[in-house]
Amino acid sequence: PLHWAVRLALPLQVLKVILNAYPHSGFTHDATTTTPFSILWDRHEPTLNDVFRIHGQQKLLSFPSWTRLTMLIQSSTKISTDHYLLHAAAACGCPISFLQFSIKLTGTPHLSKPDDTGDLPLHSASSSPYTNCDHIRFWIDSYPPAVRIRDARGRLPIHRMIASGKRWEEGVEVLVRHHPVVMQEQDPSSNLFPFMIAGSSANPDVSTIYHLLQMNPVHVGPL
């Protein structure tokens, strides 16, 4: 329903009713892999860029289309878009162009600022079901030190990524090739190395386990 509500530019109250019933529907893909959020962003991106460039941040934050976009994000995550826009957008897997715009809006210092739970944007993206390898690459390129920064529970992004079920081609490869040493780091909550986390999941992916071991065979004992 939300796809059509967005396409038809139905009133804000209609969107609220749908989101109340289906909080994550703003980032649900249709048959063409399009989300309601991407429909809104594609439609309003040029205008919002102009508003920000000409009138500044305050005018943008009160703009109706911006309100709709942040409402979809806020509905899908518990992270505050008022204080931690980058973290919330990272958790939702927003389009890369929106992420770039958000950094321009908030400023690069927010890339290294933990949210209330101790997460950086890369942490949020690593364990999100809505992100892919392009999102992971974007956050690493935006703030490379994040790959070796631990969250409040002492976990690295690689630990959270694999524990969430992400596979080699879904971002794991991007991260370990950027900083291979993370494969030698144990998750303090389980004392498992990344390849062990991959192997202990409910639905282990053989390819992910194989590649992790291939890049770091030191953990394979003698035959």
Side-chain angles (χ1 to χ4, degrees):
L2 190 59
H3 285 86
W4 280 110
V6 168
R7 286 192 176 99
L8 297 173
L10 296 183
L12 188 66
Q13 190 58 38
V14 175
L15 303 189
K16 289 182 178 179
V17 170
I18 298 174
L19 288 171
N20 187 54
Y22 306 100
H24 303 288
S25 58
F27 297 90
T28 300
H29 292 87
D30 63 11
T32 64
T33 70
T34 302
T35 67
F37 186 92
S38 63
I39 295 171
L40 265 179
W41 175 242
D42 289 346
R43 179 185 300 163
H44 297 289
E45 178 183 3
T47 300
L48 291 172
N49 269 292
D50 286 343
V51 170
F52 180 60
R53 178 175 53 83
I54 298 171
H55 301 288
Q57 184 184 74
Q58 288 305 115
K59 178 67 174 179
L60 173 76
L61 296 180
S62 63
F63 213 68
S65 54
W66 182 257
T67 300
R68 291 178 176 238
L69 286 163
T70 54
M71 184 175 69
L72 264 62
I73 296 174
Q74 191 66 80
S75 175
S76 188
T77 178
K78 297 178 181 179
I79 305 171
S80 169
T81 54
D82 291 334
H83 300 98
Y84 302 107
L85 175 62
L86 297 188
H87 306 69
C92 292
C94 292
I96 299 298
S97 57
F98 180 84
L99 301 179
Q100 294 169 331
F101 181 78
S102 297
I103 292 175
K104 185 168 60 174
L105 176 64
T106 62
T108 54
H110 280 253
L111 290 166
S112 58
K113 178 182 179 181
D115 65 12
D116 290 335
T117 64
D119 287 353
L120 298 179
L122 180 60
H123 290 122
S124 301
S126 294
S127 54
S128 169
Y130 303 111
T131 55
N132 55 40
C133 62
D134 292 330
H135 293 108
I136 301 302
R137 182 180 293 106
F138 173 83
W139 291 115
I140 292 174
D141 290 344
S142 298
Y143 185 58
V147 299
R148 57 180 184 272
I149 295 177
R150 297 179 181 270
D151 64 12
R153 293 177 57 189
R155 298 171 301 173
L156 293 169
I158 186 65
H159 299 141
R160 293 179 50 160
M161 184 181 297
I162 297 176
S164 73
K166 286 194 184 301
R167 301 186 173 193
W168 182 252
E169 68 278 6
E170 294 173 334
V172 175
E173 178 182 12
V174 172
L175 197 152
V176 300
R177 290 197 185 282
H178 174 83
H179 199 62
V181 73
V182 298
M183 291 186 292
Q184 302 174 24
E185 299 285 348
Q186 290 173 284
D187 180 346
S189 64
S190 64
N191 291 322
L192 298 179
F193 290 100
F195 84 93
M196 294 177 178
I197 301 173
S200 63
S201 68
N203 186 27
D205 177 58
V206 175
S207 177
T208 301
I209 300 169
Y210 170 77
H211 282 105
L212 288 170
L213 285 172
Q214 184 184 47
M215 288 190 68
N216 190 39
V218 67
H219 293 302
V220 180
L223 297 176

